[in-house]
Amino acid sequence: MSGNSGMERLIPIVNMLQDSFASLGTSIQIDLPQIAVVGSQSAGKSSVLENFVGKDFLPRGSGIVTRRPLILQLLYSKNAEYAEFLHAKGKKFADFDQVRKEIEDETDRLTGSNKGISSIPINLRIYSPHVLNLTLVDLPGITKVPVGDQPADIEIQIRNMILDFISKDNCLILAVTPANSDLANSDALKLAREVDPSGMRTIGVITKLDLMDEGTDARDILENRLLPLRRGYIGVVNRSQKDIDGRKDIKQAMAAERQFFLAHPSYRHIAERLGTPYLQKTLNQQLTNHIRDTLPALRNKLQSQLLSLEKEVAEYKNFSPDDPSKKTKALLTILQDISKDFEKAITGADSSEVNTKELSGGAKINRIFNERFPFELVKIESDEKQLRQKIKIIIMNIRGVKGGLFTPDQAFELTVKDQIKLLMVPSIKCVDLVITELIRIVNAITENLNKYPRLREEIERLASLHLKSREQVCKENLSMYIDTQLSYINTHHEDFIGFANASQKASSETKRKVGNEIIRKGYLGLHSGGSKIRGTRDYWFVLTTETLSWFKDETETDKKYMLPLDGLKIRDLESGLFSRRHPFALFSTDGRNVYKDFKLLELSCDSLEDVDSWKASFLRAGVYPEKDNYPKSDDRDDMASLDPQLEREVETIRNLVDSYMKIVNKTTRDMIPKIIMFLIINNCITES
C-alpha cells in the first residue's frame, strides 16, 4: 500500500458514512464522494472489478446479471483476505464462491428471480493484501431488450437508476467501453455526457483491446485525442469467456495483459499508463483527491444537518409521553406551526424560505386569477359566424311570418343572457384550480409530520373536508353572481354604446390598437415543422400588440424574424412521448403559411404554467385560442340571407352584445377572484 497514510484513511471514513446511512435506513440527503461504474452489458465491468480483487466473486451469466447497485469497498489488509456484507454483520466470507452466491441470493430476495431490478444497494466490503483502498458502485449494465418477465420499460428503469447516481456532483463516473465497438456510440459515454458535458468527472476505461480487428488499434482514444476527457482513458485486457470458463488464474491473466501492452507496437510506448494495476492505482489517487476536494463542503453539510437535528431533539428534551399536559402543549405547538406555514405559503414567505425553483402557494393562485382565468373566459367566447347566425335565427323567430321595420331589442337580451350563462364554466374551473393548489399546499406543509402519520392523516382529512365545504359555498355564490347578472341587463351603463351608436358602426370593424406596445419578453423553444423536440432551439421572444419577434438572445441585437399577429390564432399541441417540453402553435385562420414554408409556428415552454402565462399574454395582443365548435358549413349556407335590412339588424345586435359583454367580462374578471379570496382563501387563513 502506497501513499500518504493520513490521506489513505479518507476512503475508509467515507465507507463508514456509507454504511451508517445504509444501516439506519434514513433519507439523509448527503452526496458522498464515490466512483460509479457504468457500461453496457458485456462491456467487461465485472472482469475489471474482479481483476482489482484477484478473485472471481461477481455473478455471471446471460442477460442482466447486476440487478442491484453493488457498493464495493476494497480495503487493504496486510494479512487477511475475506469479505463482509452489511446485511450479514459479523459473518466473514473467506470462500469467494460463497460471496457470489450471497450476492445472487440477496438480489433475488428483493427483486425475485425474474430478472427484475432494484435501486436498493448491496454493501460489500473486501479486505485483501492485493487491493488499494477504493470504493466503487457497480451499476446494472445498460440494456435495450427486456428478457424473462422484465417490464417493457426496463431500459428506462436502468437508465433512470444510473442517472440517479451519476448526476450527483460528488460522483466520479467510470465509463467502461469495449474497444471493439464504436466509441462515438458508447452507451456509457453518452450517459456520462448528459450529466458531465465537460468531462470533468468522467474516467474512461477501454476494455477488450485484444479483440479489435487486425490492423486497427485504440491509440487515438488512449492518448485522449478522440472524444477527450479531463481525466483521460485507461486501457485494460480482461480474461476471455473461455479463460473464465476454464478458471484461468487472474494473476496469470494480468501477467498476460502486461505482456500484451509491452509487445503491441501501438501501445508499448504508453504501456506504463495501461493495465489493471495502473487503473486501480489511478482510481485510488483520484478518489482520495476527490474526497479531499469535497471534504469542506461535505463537513459543512453534515454540521448543518447535525445542528438541525440537535435543534429538533432539544424541542423534545423535556417531553414526557405520559404527561397529558405536555402532549396537549406539543400538539398545540404543531398545529400553530402548521397554521403559520399555511398563511406564509399564501401571503408570501420570508426571504430565507422562498422557493427558488418553481411558483408555489399564493404566487400560483395569483397566476390562476390573472392569467389562467382570463384565458378560460376568452376560450368560451362564441365563434363570430356562429354568433351572427344565432342572432339571425332569434330575430327571424321573434317576427315569425311578419316583417319588421325596427330591430327587436328582445334579440339583444336573449343573446346577451346566453353569453352570460357561459361564464359559469370558467368561473367553476377557477375555483377547482384554487382548491387543488390549496390542497397541495396543505400536503406540502404536513410532510414535516411524517413521524406522526396518524396526526398527518387526520390534519389532511380535516383540511380537505373544510376546503370542500368552502368550495360548495363559493360555487353557490358564483351561481348567485351569474343569476344576478342575468336578472337585470343594464343598458344604461356608462360604457354601453346604445342602439344609436351600434347602428352606425361599420360591419367590418378592425381591431383597435393603441400603439405597438411591448406585452412580454422571454425565452421560448422554436421547432417548426414537426414538433421534434430534439431540434428545438431556444430564442428570445418579444411580443407586442402587433408583432411577435425573436432574437438570438436577450441582447436583442440579432433579430431572426418578425411575425405580424393579424389573423393568427393559438392552438394546443400534444407533447412527444419522451419530451419534457410543452408545445403550442400559432396558425393563420385563412390557411396561409405563418413562418417560411410552415403553416404552424410551433413553440414550447418548460412547464404548463409557462404555456398558460404566454397564452394569457397572446390574448392581450388579440391572438385568441382556436375554436372547435364551428357549425357545419352546410348549415351556414342554408341560413345565408339576401335581405340587407336583416343583415344590418344582425350587425347592430352583434355590436350591442359585444359592447355589453365587454362590461360583464370586465366585471367578472374582477369579481370572481374576489369571491374566491373572501369565501375560501381568507376563510381558511382565519379558521386555521
Side-chain angles (χ1 to χ4, degrees), residues 608-644:
L608 283 172
E609 289 181 354
D610 289 338
V611 172
D612 290 338
S613 181
W614 272 99
K615 285 179 179 178
S617 299
F618 276 110
L619 285 182
R620 292 176 55 195
V623 179
Y624 296 101
E626 177 185 27
K627 307 294 180 184
D628 57 3
N629 56 348
Y630 293 114
K632 295 180 180 178
S633 57
D634 293 342
D635 294 339
R636 291 198 296 269
D637 292 339
D638 291 343
M639 289 304 302
S641 173
L642 300 176
D643 184 351

Side-chain angles (χ1 to χ4, degrees), residues 505-643:
K505 288 184 73 173
S507 60
S508 59
E509 181 184 17
T510 56
K511 184 167 59 174
R512 182 166 55 91
K513 303 241 180 174
V514 185
N516 190 22
E517 298 176 354
I518 294 176
I519 296 175
R520 180 173 185 151
K521 296 182 179 183
Y523 278 104
L524 284 172
L526 175 66
H527 42 96
S528 292
S531 298
K532 293 188 177 178
I533 304 298
R534 280 185 300 175
T536 301
R537 183 172 179 182
D538 286 343
Y539 289 99
W540 181 259
F541 280 76
V542 177
L543 175 64
T544 70
T545 52
E546 295 179 355
T547 62
L548 177 67
S549 305
W550 54 95
F551 302 80
K552 182 180 179 182
D553 52 42
E554 61 265 32
T555 61
E556 298 182 17
T557 54
D558 184 6
K559 181 183 282 190
K560 298 299 182 182
Y561 203 82
M562 184 172 75
L563 179 67
L565 298 177
D566 285 334
L568 297 186
K569 286 198 174 185
I570 197 166
R571 169 190 298 172
D572 290 323
L573 297 175
E574 291 186 4
S575 299
L577 183 60
F578 298 106
S579 169
R580 296 180 180 176
R581 306 293 293 255
H582 300 274
F584 63 97
L586 300 179
F587 68 99
S588 173
T589 53
D590 58 11
R592 61 180 169 84
N593 290 341
V594 174
Y595 171 56
K596 295 184 178 178
D597 296 329
F598 303 114
K599 295 189 181 296
L600 293 179
L601 176 68
E602 300 184 21
L603 307 169
S604 67
C605 300
D606 289 328
S607 69
L608 283 172
E609 289 181 354
D610 289 338
V611 172
D612 290 338
S613 181
W614 272 99
K615 285 179 179 178
S617 299
F618 276 110
L619 285 182
R620 292 176 55 195
V623 179
Y624 296 101
E626 177 185 27
K627 307 294 180 184
D628 57 3
N629 56 348
Y630 293 114
K632 295 180 180 178
S633 57
D634 293 342
D635 294 339
R636 291 198 296 269
D637 292 339
D638 291 343
M639 289 304 302
S641 173
L642 300 176
D643 184 351

Side-chain angles (χ1 to χ4, degrees), residues 171-234:
C171 180
L172 298 181
I173 306 166
L174 193 68
V176 181
T177 303
N180 57 353
S181 65
D182 184 7
L183 189 68
N185 292 320
S186 164
D187 292 325
L189 288 175
K190 279 183 181 178
L191 279 177
R193 290 277 182 183
E194 284 187 31
V195 297
D196 181 33
S198 61
M200 295 295 291
R201 296 191 286 119
T202 306
I203 306 164
V205 175
I206 307 299
T207 62
K208 303 185 181 182
L209 290 165
D210 55 328
L211 300 182
M212 296 186 71
D213 293 338
E214 189 175 349
T216 63
D217 59 61
R219 179 172 175 174
D220 287 345
I221 301 169
L222 296 174
E223 292 181 349
N224 212 21
R225 293 200 297 264
L226 181 66
L227 297 177
L229 297 173
R230 175 68 177 81
R231 299 174 186 266
Y233 294 86
I234 299 173

Side-chain angles (χ1 to χ4, degrees), residues 390-433:
K390 187 176 185 178
I391 294 170
K392 190 181 298 183
I393 292 172
I394 292 173
I395 293 174
M396 294 172 69
N397 284 337
I398 287 173
R399 287 178 174 158
V401 296
K402 299 179 292 182
L405 299 175
F406 303 102
T407 304
D409 55 356
Q410 300 100 313
F412 161 70
E413 188 165 329
L414 287 171
T415 306
V416 161
K417 286 185 175 182
D418 282 348
Q419 294 296 103
I420 292 174
K421 289 175 185 176
L422 295 175
L423 299 178
M424 191 63 187
V425 174
S427 301
I428 293 295
K429 186 169 185 177
C430 186
V431 175
D432 292 339
L433 290 170

Side-chain angles (χ1 to χ4, degrees), residues 455-479:
L455 177 60
R456 176 181 181 179
E457 183 181 343
E458 186 64 14
I459 289 174
E460 289 179 353
R461 186 185 70 82
L462 292 174
S464 179
L465 284 175
H466 183 72
L467 285 172
K468 292 298 181 185
S469 68
R470 300 311 302 172
E471 176 186 0
Q472 186 61 33
V473 172
C474 186
K475 288 181 177 179
E476 289 173 358
N477 277 267
L478 291 185
S479 180

Side-chain angles (χ1 to χ4, degrees), residues 71-314:
I71 299 179
L72 178 62
Q73 300 171 355
L74 306 180
L75 293 170
Y76 175 79
S77 175
K78 191 173 183 179
N79 300 315
E81 187 170 25
Y82 62 92
E84 289 180 340
F85 287 93
L86 186 62
H87 64 266
K89 283 186 177 180
K91 185 177 181 181
K92 294 183 179 181
F93 293 79
D95 183 352
F96 282 80
D97 287 336
Q98 290 298 312
V99 172
R100 180 190 302 110
K101 186 176 185 305
E102 183 65 22
I103 294 174
E104 292 172 345
D105 292 345
E106 180 64 13
T107 299
D108 290 343
R109 185 180 67 81
L110 264 190
T111 63
S113 57
N114 63 346
K115 301 292 184 181
I117 65 169
S118 169
S119 60
I120 299 174
I122 297 173
N123 289 59
L124 171 62
R125 181 175 291 178
I126 294 179
Y127 296 86
S128 172
H130 309 301
V131 302
L132 298 177
N133 286 348
L134 188 60
T135 301
L136 303 123
V137 182
D138 185 23
L139 297 170
I142 303 164
T143 185
K144 302 291 184 184
V145 181
V147 296
D149 296 330
Q150 287 177 342
D153 64 342
I154 188 69
E155 178 186 0
I156 297 173
Q157 288 187 31
I158 292 176
R159 173 187 168 85
N160 291 339
M161 182 194 299
I162 294 173
L163 288 175
D164 282 343
F165 278 88
I166 67 175
S167 59
K168 297 173 182 174
D169 292 336
N170 281 354
C171 180
L172 298 181
I173 306 166
L174 193 68
V176 181
T177 303
N180 57 353
S181 65
D182 184 7
L183 189 68
N185 292 320
S186 164
D187 292 325
L189 288 175
K190 279 183 181 178
L191 279 177
R193 290 277 182 183
E194 284 187 31
V195 297
D196 181 33
S198 61
M200 295 295 291
R201 296 191 286 119
T202 306
I203 306 164
V205 175
I206 307 299
T207 62
K208 303 185 181 182
L209 290 165
D210 55 328
L211 300 182
M212 296 186 71
D213 293 338
E214 189 175 349
T216 63
D217 59 61
R219 179 172 175 174
D220 287 345
I221 301 169
L222 296 174
E223 292 181 349
N224 212 21
R225 293 200 297 264
L226 181 66
L227 297 177
L229 297 173
R230 175 68 177 81
R231 299 174 186 266
Y233 294 86
I234 299 173
V236 297
V237 174
N238 296 326
R239 292 176 299 165
S240 66
Q241 189 60 47
K242 182 179 178 182
D243 293 336
I244 294 170
D245 294 339
R247 309 287 287 182
K248 182 177 180 179
D249 185 66
I250 291 180
K251 291 182 180 178
Q252 294 179 7
M254 291 177 69
E257 175 191 53
R258 175 71 175 164
Q259 186 59 38
F260 171 81
F261 287 126
L262 289 173
H264 199 290
S266 297
Y267 306 136
R268 62 166 65 107
H269 68 293
I270 53 173
E272 297 303 319
R273 291 184 282 116
L274 300 173
T276 301
Y278 179 76
L279 174 61
Q280 187 176 187
K281 181 181 177 182
T282 300
L283 293 180
N284 169 265
Q285 292 173 346
Q286 299 244 13
L287 182 58
T288 301
N289 293 338
H290 186 56
I291 293 173
R292 181 196 62 201
D293 294 341
T294 58
L295 200 57
L298 180 62
R299 183 179 59 232
N300 291 340
K301 190 163 186 178
L302 283 170
Q303 287 177 341
S304 174
Q305 293 208 0
L306 177 62
L307 288 172
S308 177
L309 288 171
E310 287 177 344
K311 183 179 178 181
E312 188 174 349
V313 169

